[in-house]
């Protein structure tokens, strides 16, 4: 059993849930703050919704990653970097992967139903978007931005779960996530540039080359900071929120620097810097919310 759990964890790279989880939790914290000031905050109800949100987040991500691995089995089998994934080397069968994706999709829909009506209605288009990314690399260089959109749904989902609505600030936060993810996925895809050219895949590096990929990754990260700034502005953030975006900007600059210096630093930039970025930004948003409530 422990071995099977390890295989599934490797399949969906469970430890990377923090990429989307951090920004979903940011939206939840801000939404709870607004509910508190509106005198509609109920501790037991919010705790229940929070745990439902965690289940929804994990199941949605499991579906997205599992479905992507399912669709990419033919590609991953040929790629030296991915040929040892559980979806390819026989540790997880095709039937088991289909069952895994189906169960997680059903869990996500069911949990959304118990959160609120809008969450339930949005669960279906959200799953379609998550699945659509897996096909994009076969016909469009916009795949990197569809991945960004997929993770950008997380903060919108967090706001919907708490407020039953999609406030403007959650859209700004989501757009920031979209460009943040697209920016680092452009860098990450540089590792497969020769393979993508050989297989005729529509990755940005394969079509436009290394220099243009680095440039548009920087442009994407500029827009990430731009939209995060408007997110903070729209919630009338104080000093903690802007310290958070300052740290995030510094980490993005560091990420761009180490990759431009040596492409061998891509794994470090992707797995370390991005993981810390979301967590650090989340901590500052929590401090901002606590300070706003305490000094209100």
């Amino acid at each position: 059993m422990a071995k099977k759990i390890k295989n599934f964890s490797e399949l969906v790279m469970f430890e990377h849930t923090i990429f989307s989880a951090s920004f979903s939790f940011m939206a939840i914290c801000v939404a709870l703050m607004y509910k508190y000031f509106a005198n509609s905050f109920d501790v037991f109800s919010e705790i229940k919704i929070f745990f439902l949100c965690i289940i929804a987040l994990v199941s949605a991500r499991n579906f997205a990653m599992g479905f992507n691995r399912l669709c990419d089995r033919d590609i991953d089998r040929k790629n030296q970097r991915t040929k040892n994934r559980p979806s390819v080397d026989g540790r997880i069968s095709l039937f088991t992967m289909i069952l895994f994706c189906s169960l997680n999709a059903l869990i996500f829909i069911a949990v959304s139903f118990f959160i609120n009506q809008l969450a339930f209605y949005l669960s279906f288009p959200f799953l379609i978007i998550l699945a659509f990314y897996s096909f994009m690399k076969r016909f469009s260089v916009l795949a990197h931005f569809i991945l960004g959109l997929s993770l950008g749904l997380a903060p919108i989902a967090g706001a919907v779960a708490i407020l039953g609505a999609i406030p403007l600030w959650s859209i700004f936060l989501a757009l920031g996530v979209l460009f943040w993810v697209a920016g680092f996925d452009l860098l990450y895809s540089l590792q497969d540039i020769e393979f993508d050219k050989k297989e005729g895949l529509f990755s940005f590096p394969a079509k436009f080359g290394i220099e243009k990929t680095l440039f548009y990754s920087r442009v994407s990260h500029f827009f990430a900071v731009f939209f995060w700034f408007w997110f903070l502005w729209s919630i009338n953030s104080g000093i903690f929120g802007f310290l958070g975006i300052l740290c995030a900007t510094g980490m993005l600059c560091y990420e761009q620097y180490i990759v431009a210096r040596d492409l061998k630093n891509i794994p470090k930039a992707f797995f370390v810097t991005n993981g810390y970025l979301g967590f650090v930004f989340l901590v500052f948003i929590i401090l901002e919310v606590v300070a706003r409530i305490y000094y209100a």
Side-chain angles (χ1 to χ4, degrees):
M1 181 59 71
K3 188 175 181 180
K4 288 182 179 179
I5 293 173
K6 182 177 180 295
N7 289 338
F8 277 108
S9 178
E10 185 179 340
L11 175 76
V12 301
M13 302 176 77
F14 185 77
E15 65 274 17
H16 298 155
T17 304
I18 191 171
F19 286 166
S20 52
S22 295
F23 288 89
S24 181
F25 291 157
M26 282 184 214
I28 289 172
C29 288
V30 174
L32 287 173
M33 177 185 71
Y34 280 112
K35 286 194 77 172
Y36 177 82
F37 287 128
N39 294 318
S40 58
F41 185 91
D42 178 74
V43 174
F44 294 106
S45 176
E46 309 309 339
I47 290 175
K48 182 190 77 171
I49 294 297
F50 178 74
F51 281 107
L52 288 175
C53 285
I54 292 176
I55 298 172
L57 176 69
V58 172
S59 59
R61 190 181 180 282
N62 283 347
F63 167 78
M65 290 295 294
F67 190 78
N68 182 252
R69 296 289 185 259
L70 178 64
C71 294
D72 282 1
R73 289 170 75 247
D74 59 327
I75 299 173
D76 290 344
R77 189 177 288 111
K78 301 174 186 178
N79 192 334
Q80 286 294 318
R81 187 177 62 81
T82 59
K83 68 179 183 178
N84 294 321
R85 286 175 172 171
S87 53
V88 176
D89 62 12
R91 281 179 286 163
I92 301 179
S93 68
L94 176 62
F95 173 78
T96 303
M97 290 180 64
I98 293 173
L99 182 62
F100 177 78
C101 294
S102 300
L103 285 175
N104 276 283
L106 289 173
I107 291 171
F108 177 68
I109 293 170
V111 170
S112 299
F113 176 80
F114 287 107
I115 291 176
N116 59 52
Q117 190 176 60
L118 181 58
F120 176 65
Y121 289 154
L122 290 176
S123 65
F124 299 97
F126 275 23
L127 286 175
I128 291 172
I129 293 171
L130 293 176
F132 184 57
Y133 160 69
S134 299
F135 301 105
M136 282 294 291
K137 69 181 72 174
R138 290 167 170 81
F139 59 85
S140 175
V141 295
L142 295 177
H144 311 284
F145 295 91
I146 298 300
L147 177 63
L149 174 62
S150 298
L151 271 73
L153 296 175
I156 292 178
V160 167
I162 302 299
L163 300 175
I166 305 177
L168 182 61
W169 58 260
S170 70
I171 296 176
F172 287 141
L173 183 57
L175 287 170
V177 173
L178 188 161
F179 284 105
W180 168 56
V181 172
F184 73 65
D185 193 56
L186 285 168
L187 297 179
Y188 190 71
S189 61
L190 285 169
Q191 298 176 107
D192 296 326
I193 184 171
E194 296 303 325
F195 177 81
D196 290 346
K197 287 180 179 178
K198 180 181 176 182
E199 295 298 319
L201 298 175
F202 288 82
S203 73
F204 197 96
K207 186 172 179 62
F208 296 107
I210 295 175
E211 291 304 317
K212 284 190 176 180
T213 300
L214 290 171
F215 173 75
Y216 281 103
S217 173
R218 293 165 191 154
V219 171
S220 295
H221 281 166
F222 168 82
F223 278 110
V225 174
F226 173 81
F227 283 113
W228 284 337
F229 174 85
W230 280 107
F231 155 66
L232 295 176
W233 188 268
S234 63
I235 65 171
N236 296 314
S237 177
I239 185 63
F240 288 115
F242 287 103
L243 284 174
I245 201 173
L246 183 64
C247 290
T249 302
M251 295 173 84
L252 290 177
C253 291
Y254 173 72
E255 176 180 318
Q256 292 290 340
Y257 169 73
I258 63 173
V259 172
R261 187 175 180 181
D262 191 339
L263 295 183
K264 292 180 181 179
N265 290 325
I266 290 174
K268 179 181 179 181
F270 184 76
F271 296 119
V272 178
T273 307
N274 282 296
Y276 283 128
L277 185 151
F279 178 75
V280 169
F281 202 175
L282 172 62
V283 169
F284 278 103
I285 292 299
I286 292 174
L287 290 173
E288 176 65 30
V289 168
V290 170
R292 292 269 293 275
I293 293 173
Y294 181 79
Y295 290 107

